[in-house]
Amino acid sequence: DQQVKQNSPSLSVQEGRISILNCDYTNSMFDYFLWYKKYPAEGPTFLISISSIKDKNEDGRFTVFLNKSAKHLSLHIVPSQPGDSAVYFCAASGDGGSNYKLTFGKGTLLTVNP
Amino acid sequence: DTGVSQDPRHKITKRGQNVTFRCDPISEHNRLYWYRQTLGQGPEFLTYFQNEAQLEKSRLLSDRFSAERPKGSFSTLEIQRTEQGDSAMYLCASSLSLGLAGVETQYFGPGTRLLVL
């Protein structure tokens, strides 16, 4: 049972435009959400996180939005750059009061075209 | 600043053989995690350590798997009698827990890619 879902396996955008990556979750116990970026042959790299008490967190070109009632979050990248091309994973923690175990989605492959 | 390192980066073995992977976390981090990632999936939690104590093991971790962190620094993950289904990327991560509420950022190593023939 997939508790964290990334329903778009891939996304292609033009350089300079906005990239929007979506993530849905089913477990209402999750209270922290994170986005990781992964290049081939490397481990995931932390990008940005958000607590369930917030609805937005911004860091440079990256903004994460959380809609708790819809159990939905999204990552916005503006402007998109070719170096952003990677697999993006949404992850959640806090299930059962634990803040250590991350539950990941399957990832979305972002391609930013020059 | 040295990140999380893993050794080896790649391992090819025959079914039935034992393999051992090593993870060196970021030096001041007291928590260490192991995840497994198969093709087309996100990383799946296997186990984690707080210092040298192994505090949780996923049901994914069969009795052929054993992990240790003997001195609260590096960790090893051993798979005995490997099966083809064990083929995956094994990722190690570490974090600093201060006992406070909130999410701890986990920093991942490059992974060990295992292929069981």
Side-chain angles (χ1 to χ4, degrees), chain A residues 30-102:
Chain A
F30 290 141
D31 54 9
Y32 290 97
F33 303 90
L34 306 89
W35 285 93
Y36 282 83
K37 176 172 73 175
K38 186 178 184 303
Y39 294 118
E42 294 184 13
T45 302
F46 171 73
L47 273 177
I48 192 168
S49 64
I50 188 168
S51 162
S52 60
I53 62 172
K54 295 185 175 181
D55 55 17
K56 178 182 175 181
N57 188 26
E58 192 172 354
D59 184 2
R61 296 187 297 114
F62 302 92
T63 303
V64 56
F65 295 91
L66 175 62
N67 183 333
K68 205 176 168 187
S69 62
K71 294 191 178 68
H72 176 83
L73 62 155
S74 60
L75 174 68
H76 292 210
I77 306 174
V78 182
S80 302
Q81 300 173 354
D84 295 329
S85 297
V87 177
Y88 288 77
F89 289 101
C90 172
S93 74
D95 182 19
S98 69
N99 66 346
Y100 54 83
K101 180 165 60 178
L102 296 179

Side-chain angles (χ1 to χ4, degrees), chain B residues 12-29:
Chain B
I12 301 174
T13 191
K14 293 182 179 179
R15 187 177 53 189
Q17 299 294 304
N18 299 342
V19 295
T20 300
F21 310 140
R22 177 180 170 123
C23 170
D24 287 272
I26 293 172
S27 58
E28 65 269 25
H29 284 183

